[in-house]
Amino acid sequence: MSKARKRKFYLKLSDFLLDLAKLIFGGIILTGIIDLEINKALLFITGSAVATILAVWGFVLYNRGTKTN
């Protein structure tokens, strides 16, 4: 795979992961607002952890995709 193609792949994948993190974060907020019979502490902890992991990976891939080397 060429460098330009690899950079484009990293940028697209980083966009996807960052969008997924945003959707999970929004789902946490909406689920917290709706009065469902769930453990809210577990929801916030698990959802925040997954959203954070996806966001970090998104930013790592974004940095790899924007490197000029």
Side-chain angles (χ1 to χ4, degrees), residues 15-54:
D15 286 342
F16 175 73
L17 291 176
L18 291 172
D19 285 343
L20 202 58
K22 288 187 284 188
L23 288 171
I24 289 172
F25 186 71
I28 292 169
I29 292 173
L30 289 175
T31 306
I33 291 172
I34 299 172
D35 194 25
L36 298 176
E37 297 295 324
I38 57 171
N39 186 352
K40 291 189 180 189
L42 183 62
L43 169 75
F44 288 126
I45 292 170
T46 306
S48 297
V50 171
T52 302
I53 290 168
L54 289 174

Side-chain angles (χ1 to χ4, degrees), residues 21-22 29 45 60-61 63-64:
K22 288 187 284 188
I29 292 173
I45 292 170
V60 167
L61 290 174
N63 284 337
R64 281 190 183 177

Side-chain angles (χ1 to χ4, degrees), residues 5-22:
R5 195 167 176 177
K6 192 179 284 189
R7 286 184 188 141
K8 187 175 181 181
F9 174 74
Y10 285 151
L11 290 175
K12 288 287 186 182
L13 187 57
S14 71
D15 286 342
F16 175 73
L17 291 176
L18 291 172
D19 285 343
L20 202 58
K22 288 187 284 188

